[in-house]
Amino acid sequence: MKILLSSILVVLLFLTNQVFSEQKIAYIDMDRIFSASKSGSSILKQLTELNNKNLNFLKNEEKKFKEKEIKLISQKNIISETNFKNKVDELKSEIKNYNQKRNEMLADFNKLKLDNTNNFLKLINSILVKFSNDKGISIILKKNDLVVANTELDITDEVIKIVNIEVKEFKIK
């Protein structure tokens, strides 16, 4: 009898063991925050303008080198061979310096892009922490990491409104 009672008690305990905690989970689309918020789109616009400026400068420099090369080739039969070799070496040196400068420009631009993106993400992170505390959200996930989720859990639009209010302007540095 004791065994029967204890086994019924154990079965009842296992059957009634329910979890009564509720954690709110939400997700956010960081790419959309970047493109749809005023400050995020400002960053993208500023970076695009700087990149276009750099590309135009590099294209103009390449055009100058092509013109120098054509001019040098046209002078090949007119000037002496040593003078021609000196000018070719000079042009090669200029092109080498240009390539180094181009690589530095690209590295500087990538560093600038990364630094400003990280600074903006830090601002968004502080907004997300405050938002999650205010709304009682336990976990906020990135949309890119999800396979399937209910659209009711998406807080992107609410966060965009807050970012537009709190982050008025973001200048790249």
Side-chain angles (χ1 to χ4, degrees):
M1 188 69 174
K2 284 184 180 182
I3 296 173
L4 181 62
L5 252 128
S6 59
S7 61
I8 291 174
L9 183 62
V10 169
V11 169
L12 285 175
L13 286 175
F14 280 118
L15 290 177
T16 59
N17 189 12
Q18 296 178 1
V19 178
F20 293 106
S21 68
E22 183 179 316
Q23 292 184 346
K24 288 189 176 181
I25 297 175
Y27 68 90
I28 190 165
D29 187 355
M30 295 301 284
D31 294 333
R32 201 164 103 220
I33 288 179
F34 242 99
S35 62
S37 67
K38 292 176 185 174
S39 50
S41 60
S42 171
I43 292 171
L44 293 176
K45 181 181 175 187
Q46 292 174 56
L47 288 172
T48 302
E49 288 174 358
L50 182 62
N51 190 38
N52 288 339
K53 180 181 169 187
N54 288 345
L55 289 176
N56 286 335
F57 172 77
L58 294 175
K59 284 180 184 178
N60 288 336
E61 289 295 311
E62 288 177 9
K63 189 185 281 188
K64 289 178 186 177
F65 286 127
K66 288 190 187 243
E67 289 172 0
K68 285 183 180 182
E69 180 184 17
I70 291 170
K71 183 178 178 184
L72 188 61
I73 290 172
S74 68
Q75 293 177 349
K76 182 177 181 179
N77 294 331
I78 300 172
I79 59 176
S80 68
E81 188 174 323
T82 53
N83 195 7
F84 178 75
K85 285 183 181 180
N86 289 338
K87 288 189 177 195
V88 168
D89 291 339
E90 183 180 309
L91 182 62
K92 285 181 182 179
S93 174
E94 288 178 19
I95 291 173
K96 183 180 176 184
N97 290 337
Y98 162 77
N99 285 331
Q100 288 175 345
K101 186 175 182 178
R102 186 189 76 189
N103 291 337
E104 288 174 9
M105 283 178 75
L106 291 174
D108 289 344
F109 176 77
N110 288 334
K111 184 179 182 326
L112 181 74
K113 182 179 178 181
L114 184 66
D115 290 344
N116 284 287
T117 303
N118 287 338
N119 289 338
F120 185 66
L121 288 176
K122 286 178 186 175
L123 291 173
I124 291 175
N125 190 38
S126 64
I127 291 170
L128 288 175
V129 168
K130 184 179 176 204
F131 182 81
S132 68
N133 289 336
D134 293 345
K135 299 288 185 177
I137 298 173
S138 301
I139 299 172
I140 298 177
L141 302 170
K142 288 196 305 187
K143 185 177 180 181
N144 300 352
D145 298 334
L146 299 176
V147 177
V148 176
N150 189 344
T151 56
E152 294 173 4
L153 300 175
D154 188 4
I155 59 170
T156 305
D157 292 331
E158 295 174 61
V159 173
I160 288 173
K161 290 176 186 174
I162 295 171
V163 168
N164 285 339
I165 291 169
E166 291 192 16
V167 184
K168 296 288 184 191
E169 189 175 337
F170 195 95
K171 298 248 182 198
I172 61 172
K173 300 172 188 172

